Amino acid sequence: MELSKLVQATSGSIIRKFFNAAAGMEDVISFSIGEPNFIAPKPVIEDAVKWLHEGKTHYTDNAGVKDLRDAVAEYHKNLHADPDKEILITCGATEAIELALFTLVNPGEEVILVSPAWQPYFCQIQMCGAICKPVIAKEENNFVVDPKDVEAAITEKTRCIIINSPSNPTGAVIDRETMKKLAEIIRKHDLFVISDEIYSRLIYTDEPYTSITEFEGMRERTVYINGFSKMLAMPGWRLGYAITTPEIFIGMKKMHENGVSCLSEPLQRSAAYALRYCQKEIEDMRLQYLRRRNLICKLINEIPGLSCRTPQGAFYVMMNIQELMKQTGMSTEDLAMDILQKKHVITVPCSGFGPGGDGLLRLTYAASDEAITEGIGRIRDYVSAL
């Protein structure tokens, strides 16, 4: 018997492939999984335990605990969201993206995706029967997409565009002028937007962060997505949220009810606490990521044959290995595997992140200063040995 064509066509994660390849190795340094090396703020953990002791161990409203939806509405005052009709608590931002695609896009319609992009976007677009139209964000433009390239990719079948700023894997932050032009194109062609802003608190630019929702007419056609994994070091709590219009909310909620159904009540209640009382902890972690970004970029750019642009957000850097590929004749993935096998350092080949990723390795600096220094030192030794 044969499994479904959908399952057969869906690829596994390139990140997990390399992470799993290191199983059994000793003294491994990982720059692979985008997971904060911090622990969730202690008061948040204590608040979750309190709710457990109080017996909050039952099903909740499918849309999420009311207190958390209220907290999200308070936190995003600029979006003027009705917590009862426009905010949905999801199983991480990942589920929110999936629900948005299933709600907005019909089989055979097209979704524009800025590439290199987080791999699950490609798979989720495929899962809903849509066609992915990648638009390359070039390294020479600091991985910020050119709006003209986006408009050139639009056809009569285009339904939606996914925007991820700051970006995983590139760390790119879309500046206000570019975002304004994208908003104009989206309105002109009457498209929906899925705006994944999970890294929006991890910004290192002098310019204030810009969301696509800030521009005229965009709130009404956008599914705004965020969560707690990155900004509050709560990835294992699996809590994200979507803010959108009442009509889209109803559609996403129906899909959510028939899948995940609802999330843990104690964790939802403690997430509300985190939004209200842990802003200082968010800023403290951001400043540490900023220092680590500067450290890893300095160390990479000191290695002959390697280079990287300074990312403006998130906690990833794209290491250009094209000179090493010419020197060795190896592919992006083969070089990443060779570094892992010889130096026990896990990186992620961006050839697995769609068009525009070949010749680049993604490294996360959500790691300690010591791990960054040691890991890049091993890569330096690997290059020297060539």
Side-chain angles (χ1 to χ4, degrees), residues 36 63 74 104 179 217 225 235 243 289 306 335 352 370 377:
E74 294 162 12
L104 300 177
M179 197 72 86
I225 291 170
I243 302 174
Y289 288 132
L306 299 182
L335 257 171
E370 294 76 16

Side-chain angles (χ1 to χ4, degrees), residues 70-82:
D70 287 343
V72 170
E74 294 162 12
Y75 180 67
H76 293 286
K77 286 187 176 68
N78 59 312
L79 294 179
H80 307 289
D82 183 338

Side-chain angles (χ1 to χ4, degrees), residues 108-156:
E109 292 180 332
E110 295 172 349
V111 178
I112 290 177
L113 177 62
V114 178
S115 184
W118 184 53
Q119 190 178 21
Y121 291 137
F122 294 97
C123 296
Q124 290 181 344
I125 291 169
Q126 182 183 41
M127 284 165 60
C128 68
I131 299 166
C132 183
K133 294 289 291 292
V135 176
I136 296 176
K138 300 172 184 176
E139 183 180 17
E140 56 264 34
N141 196 32
N142 293 318
F143 299 106
V144 174
V145 71
D146 188 330
K148 293 179 183 177
D149 293 338
V150 171
E151 186 158 33
I154 296 172
T155 73
E156 60 182 15

Side-chain angles (χ1 to χ4, degrees), residues 78-96:
N78 59 312
L79 294 179
H80 307 289
D82 183 338
D84 296 321
K85 298 179 181 179
E86 298 183 311
I87 296 176
L88 178 67
I89 308 303
T90 60
C91 185
T94 304
E95 192 211 5

Side-chain angles (χ1 to χ4, degrees), residues 26-46:
E26 296 181 356
D27 192 26
V28 172
I29 292 179
S30 177
F31 294 126
S32 59
I33 297 178
E35 178 178 48
N37 73 318
F38 301 111
I39 297 172
K42 188 176 180 181
V44 181
I45 296 172
E46 292 172 345

Side-chain angles (χ1 to χ4, degrees), residues 313-329:
F315 41 56
Y316 307 102
V317 62
M318 299 283 268
M319 185 168 72
N320 189 309
I321 59 166
Q322 292 173 12
E323 287 300 318
L324 293 191
M325 292 170 66
K326 292 176 185 176
Q327 185 178 345
T328 63

Side-chain angles (χ1 to χ4, degrees), residues 43 48 208 219 227 266 281 349 376:
R219 171 72 167 82
E281 286 86 344
I376 302 302

Side-chain angles (χ1 to χ4, degrees), residues 269-282:
R269 290 188 177 277
S270 60
Y273 177 96
L275 276 182
R276 291 183 175 121
Y277 304 114
C278 293
Q279 296 303 304
K280 180 182 182 300
E281 286 86 344
I282 295 173

